[in-house]
PDB file of all heavy atoms in Angstrom:
ATOM      1  N   LYS A  55      10.202  30.601 -25.663  1.00  0.00           N
ATOM      2  CA  LYS A  55      10.409  30.110 -27.030  1.00  0.00           C
ATOM      3  C   LYS A  55      11.016  31.203 -27.908  1.00  0.00           C
ATOM      4  O   LYS A  55      10.667  32.379 -27.780  1.00  0.00           O
ATOM      5  CB  LYS A  55       9.102  29.560 -27.599  1.00  0.00           C
ATOM      6  CG  LYS A  55       8.263  30.543 -28.360  1.00  0.00           C
ATOM      7  CD  LYS A  55       7.077  29.859 -28.985  1.00  0.00           C
ATOM      8  CE  LYS A  55       6.223  30.942 -29.594  1.00  0.00           C
ATOM      9  NZ  LYS A  55       5.213  30.496 -30.487  1.00  0.00           N
ATOM     10  N   PRO A  56      11.949  30.828 -28.756  1.00  0.00           N
ATOM     11  CA  PRO A  56      12.678  31.851 -29.504  1.00  0.00           C
ATOM     12  C   PRO A  56      11.855  32.446 -30.638  1.00  0.00           C
ATOM     13  O   PRO A  56      10.845  31.868 -31.050  1.00  0.00           O
ATOM     14  CB  PRO A  56      13.874  31.077 -30.068  1.00  0.00           C
ATOM     15  CG  PRO A  56      13.417  29.667 -30.133  1.00  0.00           C
ATOM     16  CD  PRO A  56      12.396  29.473 -29.057  1.00  0.00           C
ATOM     17  N   HIS A  57      12.327  33.596 -31.149  1.00  0.00           N
ATOM     18  CA  HIS A  57      11.707  34.197 -32.337  1.00  0.00           C
ATOM     19  C   HIS A  57      11.981  33.310 -33.543  1.00  0.00           C
ATOM     20  O   HIS A  57      12.912  32.503 -33.530  1.00  0.00           O
ATOM     21  CB  HIS A  57      12.281  35.591 -32.565  1.00  0.00           C
ATOM     22  CG  HIS A  57      11.753  36.618 -31.612  1.00  0.00           C
ATOM     23  ND1 HIS A  57      10.547  37.226 -31.794  1.00  0.00           N
ATOM     24  CD2 HIS A  57      12.257  37.117 -30.461  1.00  0.00           C
ATOM     25  CE1 HIS A  57      10.335  38.078 -30.804  1.00  0.00           C
ATOM     26  NE2 HIS A  57      11.352  38.021 -29.982  1.00  0.00           N
ATOM     27  N   VAL A  58      11.189  33.480 -34.579  1.00  0.00           N
ATOM     28  CA  VAL A  58      11.373  32.702 -35.803  1.00  0.00           C
ATOM     29  C   VAL A  58      12.794  32.904 -36.333  1.00  0.00           C
ATOM     30  O   VAL A  58      13.279  34.028 -36.435  1.00  0.00           O
ATOM     31  CB  VAL A  58      10.355  33.157 -36.879  1.00  0.00           C
ATOM     32  CG1 VAL A  58      10.609  32.455 -38.199  1.00  0.00           C
ATOM     33  CG2 VAL A  58       8.944  32.905 -36.396  1.00  0.00           C
ATOM     34  N   ASP A  59      13.466  31.817 -36.630  1.00  0.00           N
ATOM     35  CA  ASP A  59      14.808  31.867 -37.185  1.00  0.00           C
ATOM     36  C   ASP A  59      14.686  31.986 -38.704  1.00  0.00           C
ATOM     37  O   ASP A  59      14.552  30.999 -39.415  1.00  0.00           O
ATOM     38  CB  ASP A  59      15.561  30.589 -36.784  1.00  0.00           C
ATOM     39  CG  ASP A  59      16.971  30.578 -37.354  1.00  0.00           C
ATOM     40  OD1 ASP A  59      17.350  31.534 -38.049  1.00  0.00           O
ATOM     41  OD2 ASP A  59      17.676  29.595 -37.094  1.00  0.00           O
ATOM     42  N   VAL A  60      14.724  33.247 -39.188  1.00  0.00           N
ATOM     43  CA  VAL A  60      14.469  33.496 -40.611  1.00  0.00           C
ATOM     44  C   VAL A  60      15.492  32.782 -41.486  1.00  0.00           C
ATOM     45  O   VAL A  60      15.158  32.173 -42.498  1.00  0.00           O
ATOM     46  CB  VAL A  60      14.463  35.015 -40.906  1.00  0.00           C
ATOM     47  CG1 VAL A  60      14.313  35.274 -42.396  1.00  0.00           C
ATOM     48  CG2 VAL A  60      13.336  35.689 -40.146  1.00  0.00           C
ATOM     49  N   LYS A  61      16.760  32.845 -41.059  1.00  0.00           N
ATOM     50  CA  LYS A  61      17.840  32.244 -41.855  1.00  0.00           C
ATOM     51  C   LYS A  61      17.567  30.789 -42.191  1.00  0.00           C
ATOM     52  O   LYS A  61      17.850  30.318 -43.287  1.00  0.00           O
ATOM     53  CB  LYS A  61      19.168  32.346 -41.088  1.00  0.00           C
ATOM     54  CG  LYS A  61      19.937  33.606 -41.406  1.00  0.00           C
ATOM     55  CD  LYS A  61      21.408  33.440 -41.074  1.00  0.00           C
ATOM     56  CE  LYS A  61      22.215  34.536 -41.741  1.00  0.00           C
ATOM     57  NZ  LYS A  61      22.235  35.798 -41.045  1.00  0.00           N
ATOM     58  N   HIS A  62      17.028  30.049 -41.222  1.00  0.00           N
ATOM     59  CA  HIS A  62      16.834  28.621 -41.425  1.00  0.00           C
ATOM     60  C   HIS A  62      15.373  28.242 -41.673  1.00  0.00           C
ATOM     61  O   HIS A  62      15.003  27.094 -41.550  1.00  0.00           O
ATOM     62  CB  HIS A  62      17.415  27.840 -40.237  1.00  0.00           C
ATOM     63  CG  HIS A  62      18.877  28.067 -40.059  1.00  0.00           C
ATOM     64  ND1 HIS A  62      19.382  28.903 -39.078  1.00  0.00           N
ATOM     65  CD2 HIS A  62      19.940  27.631 -40.770  1.00  0.00           C
ATOM     66  CE1 HIS A  62      20.699  28.940 -39.191  1.00  0.00           C
ATOM     67  NE2 HIS A  62      21.059  28.187 -40.200  1.00  0.00           N
ATOM     68  N   SER A  63      14.558  29.256 -42.013  1.00  0.00           N
ATOM     69  CA  SER A  63      13.156  28.954 -42.314  1.00  0.00           C
ATOM     70  C   SER A  63      12.936  28.953 -43.821  1.00  0.00           C
ATOM     71  O   SER A  63      13.566  29.723 -44.553  1.00  0.00           O
ATOM     72  CB  SER A  63      12.229  30.015 -41.706  1.00  0.00           C
ATOM     73  OG  SER A  63      12.388  30.068 -40.320  1.00  0.00           O
ATOM     74  N   GLU A  64      12.027  28.106 -44.222  1.00  0.00           N
ATOM     75  CA  GLU A  64      11.624  28.068 -45.625  1.00  0.00           C
ATOM     76  C   GLU A  64      10.682  29.248 -45.875  1.00  0.00           C
ATOM     77  O   GLU A  64       9.793  29.509 -45.067  1.00  0.00           O
ATOM     78  CB  GLU A  64      10.888  26.743 -45.846  1.00  0.00           C
ATOM     79  CG  GLU A  64      10.706  26.332 -47.269  1.00  0.00           C
ATOM     80  CD  GLU A  64      11.961  25.710 -47.870  1.00  0.00           C
ATOM     81  OE1 GLU A  64      12.819  25.206 -47.094  1.00  0.00           O
ATOM     82  OE2 GLU A  64      12.073  25.744 -49.083  1.00  0.00           O
ATOM     83  N   ALA A  65      10.868  29.976 -46.979  1.00  0.00           N
ATOM     84  CA  ALA A  65       9.955  31.076 -47.296  1.00  0.00           C
ATOM     85  C   ALA A  65       8.598  30.522 -47.708  1.00  0.00           C
ATOM     86  O   ALA A  65       8.517  29.575 -48.493  1.00  0.00           O
ATOM     87  CB  ALA A  65      10.533  31.931 -48.413  1.00  0.00           C
ATOM     88  N   ALA A  66       7.525  31.091 -47.141  1.00  0.00           N
ATOM     89  CA  ALA A  66       6.173  30.632 -47.480  1.00  0.00           C
ATOM     90  C   ALA A  66       5.800  31.082 -48.895  1.00  0.00           C
ATOM     91  O   ALA A  66       5.033  30.406 -49.587  1.00  0.00           O
ATOM     92  CB  ALA A  66       5.168  31.170 -46.475  1.00  0.00           C
TER      93      ALA A  66
END
Side-chain angles (χ1 to χ4, degrees):
Chain A
K55 92 174 174 167
H57 285 279
V58 175
D59 179 0
V60 175
K61 269 201 164 82
H62 300 103
S63 301
E64 196 79 23

